[in-house]
Amino acid sequence: MVNNTQKQTKYIFVTGGVASSLGKGIIAASLAKLLQSRGYSVTIQKLDPYLNIDPGTLNPYEHGECYVTEDGAETDLDLGHYERFLNTPTTQGNNVTTGRIYQSVINRERKGEFLGKTVQVIPHITDEIKRRVKLLSTKNKFDVVITEIGGTVGDIESLPYIEAVRQLRYDLGSHNTLVIHLTLIPYMSASGELKTKPTQHSVKALLESGVQPDILVLRTEKELGEEIKKKVALFCNVDSDAVIESIDVPTIYEVPLRMLSQKLDIVALRKLGLKVEDAKLDKWEAFVDRVKNPSCEVKIALIGKYTELPDAYKSIVESFIHAGAENNVKVRLQYVNSEEVTEDTVSDMLSDMGGILVAPGFGGRGIEGKIVATKFARESNIPFLGICLGMQCAVIEFARNVIGLKNANSTEVDERTPYPVIDIMEEQKNITEKGGTMRLGAYPCKLTVGSKAFEAYGTELISERHRHRYEFNNKYINDYIKAGMNPVGINPDTELVEVVEIPSHRWFVGVQYHPEYKSTVVNPQPLFVSFVKSVMDYKL
Ligand code: GLN
């Protein structure tokens, strides 16, 4: 940590304008990475302006992947980027939604804590937003808290957040706060021009709410040139070195380097009155170099039901980038819709794959295709990784086709199956509420020495994150061992089976937990690294 005589935490807010999905999360994470590389302790928070308490109940079509933290919070997928970039864990406090804000204000109102006053958006909701922003740094003192505000400036639902930013700037002083506004500079191919007007309007919308941005990051397909940057600076009241271009790049991991070359971090530190120490980014640069220049390529099928929406599997996709870089290989993911996989199509669809991953999921739709794909991987000796529902498919498939338990299933799919080899966890049986009630977050797991998982992790005791209600049914454990599928990872406290393997297979591992949530640039997840290695040994 930088020896910073001022102990005051500095707050950086990242807002977005003109369009959604411009990559605020990546810009926030990139800036955080740069500040971290200069010795500052940084955390990133996402404020989401929707009414759900958390994204746990949202369909992946609505919101992409639900990312799970160590402490078991179901959060926005941007938190995954924060962890992958910074290599530090996030917590429930790093993702707050409007639903959560209102819920706590309303709970306090019911307790009579407002002493007969009228409870209003301003000041009560904005106070709660401000409290949540500041709370992050009260437990663990951070030098800098970066708060990303979801949505787009001008949205009705974003207004209380922008108002809270205005108030916080007033409360804390402009030298302790910074606003970075990310907008889009569209390119009109008909006239061959880059257009700054939407950015001007979006800054105007922020100004109407009393917030003057300090730094503008302009997302663009084409290089902007000095003229455009100067024009934007002039119209939007920002210094010309505080207009930063964010051009499309082949990998998100290059964004911090692009921001570094334009001194985004230096401009931010200067404005916050913080010292500029040397940036140590050698490891990051080496990683980006490996991502961009792999020595060869392998193909892995990702069998899931949200295949037209890769964001649903964001952490898995990123884990393969980390594991690929570690192995100096590019992993080409082939998204395969499990509903299209049948005994008739499977060979055509999967025989030229170097590896097969069966993805997590909920409910019965597409599960039979996942089971067929698992069978194909097992019988063809193709490296296989099953995650959560993917592991459960491996267990079901093995029961049906090797042990001979006809119609074995998970009770999630078929409550009346004669062989419930996957069954609801005891503590889940009486739960009726859907939100935040699964088995969530980090739990320990003890691995069998000599197993593939043990080889991958290089240690017996591991901890991984979970998100499920169903589990391996221990009643059948001996049938599995006898037939050649071993439980090689067990929760030492509850005896839950967390990892299964087929030792006679080249590389066949199913995990009840989600290894993908813990993969970072600095620490690629060991199972993914080992899986990719086995794919290379098989195919190259
Ligand atoms: N639906 C399964 C369960 O709840 C698997 C969950 C998952 O894949 N995350 O146990």
Side-chain angles (χ1 to χ4, degrees):
M1 199 187 299
V2 167
N3 191 5
N4 169 17
T5 39
Q6 282 168 292
K7 281 280 185 294
Q8 164 76 50
T9 299
K10 307 280 183 172
Y11 293 90
I12 299 179
F13 299 95
V14 180
T15 58
V18 178
S20 58
S21 307
L22 294 181
K24 282 197 297 281
I26 301 297
I27 292 296
S30 298
L31 175 60
K33 183 74 221 168
L34 296 179
L35 298 180
Q36 186 193 52
S37 78
R38 293 187 190 275
Y40 288 97
S41 64
V42 193
T43 192
I44 320 176
Q45 175 185 47
K46 172 103 190 255
L47 302 181
D48 272 314
Y50 51 73
L51 284 170
N52 303 65
I53 299 292
D54 60 42
T57 53
L58 288 173
N59 185 317
Y61 283 119
E62 292 282 316
H63 206 66
E65 168 188 275
C66 172
Y67 183 77
V68 178
T69 59
E70 286 287 293
D71 63 349
E74 297 182 290
T75 71
D76 185 78
L77 57 74
D78 272 340
L79 271 78
H81 290 308
Y82 307 162
E83 290 205 10
R84 289 187 280 272
F85 276 53
L86 293 183
N87 197 40
T88 53
T90 53
T91 62
Q92 177 67 74
N94 292 75
N95 190 197
V96 178
T97 66
T98 297
R100 208 172 271 280
I101 301 270
Y102 271 79
Q103 190 183 48
S104 49
V105 172
I106 292 169
N107 287 346
R108 287 177 52 211
E109 186 274 336
R110 291 289 81 185
K111 286 190 191 141
E113 286 186 23
F114 294 101
L115 304 174
K117 291 264 183 241
T118 308
V119 182
Q120 294 180 294
V121 173
I122 302 168
H124 302 104
I125 295 298
T126 44
D127 278 353
E128 181 62 16
I129 295 172
K130 284 157 59 179
R131 191 181 73 80
R132 300 272 183 160
V133 170
K134 290 199 273 188
L135 193 65
L136 260 192
S137 198
T138 46
K139 276 192 227 138
N140 299 310
K141 204 90 186 121
F142 289 103
D143 297 321
V144 182
V145 173
I146 300 183
T147 299
E148 176 194 346
I149 302 197
T152 309
V153 166
D155 295 348
I156 291 176
E157 53 185 24
S158 299
L159 278 174
Y161 291 98
I162 305 296
E163 169 61 12
V165 171
R166 186 192 69 75
Q167 293 179 20
L168 274 169
R169 299 204 92 182
Y170 186 79
D171 300 344
L172 298 166
S174 57
H175 55 293
N176 290 322
T177 57
L178 191 78
V179 174
I180 300 179
H181 189 52
L182 174 65
T183 72
L184 174 72
I185 301 283
Y187 176 71
M188 306 277 289
S189 50
S191 57
E193 279 178 304
L194 288 156
K195 292 296 192 186
T196 65
K197 196 74 82 191
T199 294
Q200 296 177 40
H201 281 292
S202 141
V203 171
K204 242 191 207 140
L206 255 188
L207 281 169
E208 276 167 22
S209 304
V211 175
Q212 164 69 51
D214 303 285
I215 297 177
L216 294 174
V217 177
L218 309 178
R219 182 76 192 266
T220 176
E221 286 171 46
K222 302 234 180 258
E223 257 180 56
L224 294 178
E226 283 313 307
E227 276 308 299
I228 299 247
K229 287 199 215 166
K230 271 201 195 122
K231 186 172 170 188
V232 171
L234 177 72
F235 277 104
C236 301
N237 271 337
V238 296
D239 299 335
S240 52
D241 66 350
V243 179
I244 309 281
E245 167 188 291
S246 172
I247 198 158
D248 298 354
V249 279
T251 156
I252 54 168
Y253 297 104
E254 208 180 319
V255 178
L257 304 177
R258 295 287 177 136
M259 294 300 117
L260 178 74
S261 68
Q262 295 179 79
K263 303 192 172 60
L264 169 66
D265 54 335
I266 294 182
V267 174
L269 287 170
R270 208 184 55 221
K271 287 186 185 289
L272 290 168
L274 294 173
K275 276 197 276 173
V276 179
E277 308 280 340
D278 283 347
K280 288 190 197 68
L281 276 165
D282 328 356
K283 276 194 189 152
W284 190 275
E285 280 164 353
F287 167 79
V288 172
D289 193 50
R290 284 199 306 273
V291 170
K292 288 170 75 177
N293 304 298
S295 59
C296 49
E297 188 178 297
V298 289
K299 252 202 281 185
I300 294 180
L302 187 156
I303 322 283
K305 58 182 177 184
Y306 304 110
T307 43
E308 63 290 11
L309 183 86
D311 262 7
Y313 304 112
K314 194 80 203 170
S315 294
I316 293 177
V317 174
E318 299 304 319
S319 298
F320 276 121
I321 295 175
H322 308 155
E326 190 68 12
N327 282 296
N328 248 312
V329 66
K330 175 169 173 54
V331 175
R332 188 167 292 284
L333 277 183
Q334 193 92 28
Y335 299 98
V336 175
N337 183 345
S338 55
E339 288 180 278
E340 287 164 17
V341 183
T342 63
E343 290 286 359
D344 295 336
T345 61
V346 67
S347 171
D348 279 350
M349 290 176 98
L350 299 180
S351 44
D352 72 328
M353 294 295 155
I356 293 175
L357 179 136
V358 176
F362 293 85
R365 183 166 70 84
I367 193 169
E368 287 304 321
K370 286 182 171 178
I371 292 170
V372 170
T374 307
K375 176 168 181 253
F376 185 76
R378 181 179 58 76
E379 291 181 340
S380 319
N381 209 11
I382 298 176
F384 170 91
L385 177 59
I387 298 181
C388 207
L389 183 66
M391 172 268 202
Q392 298 177 352
C393 287
V395 168
I396 296 166
E397 190 279 319
F398 201 81
R400 289 184 190 172
N401 302 318
V402 181
I403 308 178
L405 305 177
K406 205 164 164 258
N407 295 326
N409 216 328
S410 162
T411 50
E412 180 181 12
V413 181
D414 176 6
E415 269 183 70
R416 281 197 285 259
T417 169
Y419 304 108
V421 289
I422 301 291
D423 201 3
I424 187 128
M425 279 179 278
E426 201 47 47
E427 72 268 20
Q428 289 284 331
K429 285 189 177 152
N430 297 319
I431 293 176
T432 48
E433 288 214 357
K434 291 274 178 262
T437 55
M438 282 187 245
R439 178 174 181 242
L440 289 165
Y443 286 93
C445 168
K446 195 156 183 278
L447 299 174
T448 306
V449 176
S451 63
K452 299 240 174 31
F454 172 80
E455 295 299 327
Y457 286 91
T459 177
E460 262 179 271
L461 197 65
I462 59 162
S463 166
E464 291 281 6
R465 301 182 197 169
H466 298 70
R467 184 174 189 245
H468 65 121
R469 295 187 201 279
Y470 295 80
E471 61 162 325
F472 181 92
N473 186 344
N474 278 337
K475 209 173 99 186
Y476 296 94
I477 209 161
N478 288 328
D479 300 321
Y480 278 88
I481 297 172
K482 252 187 263 152
M485 176 180 268
N486 291 346
V488 298
I490 308 281
N491 178 307
D493 307 319
T494 57
E495 304 276 292
L496 290 189
V497 173
E498 308 280 27
V499 189
V500 295
E501 285 185 9
I502 299 178
S504 61
H505 189 283
R506 183 191 308 279
W507 204 96
F508 189 105
V509 180
V511 287
Q512 182 57 75
Y513 53 78
H514 289 261
E516 70 274 21
Y517 293 141
K518 273 178 73 171
S519 192
T520 71
V521 166
V522 175
N523 280 324
Q525 208 285 338
L527 264 188
F528 277 89
V529 174
S530 172
F531 178 44
V532 169
K533 167 116 193 5
S534 75
V535 171
M536 292 167 75
D537 292 345
Y538 167 53
K539 270 287 175 193
L540 297 177

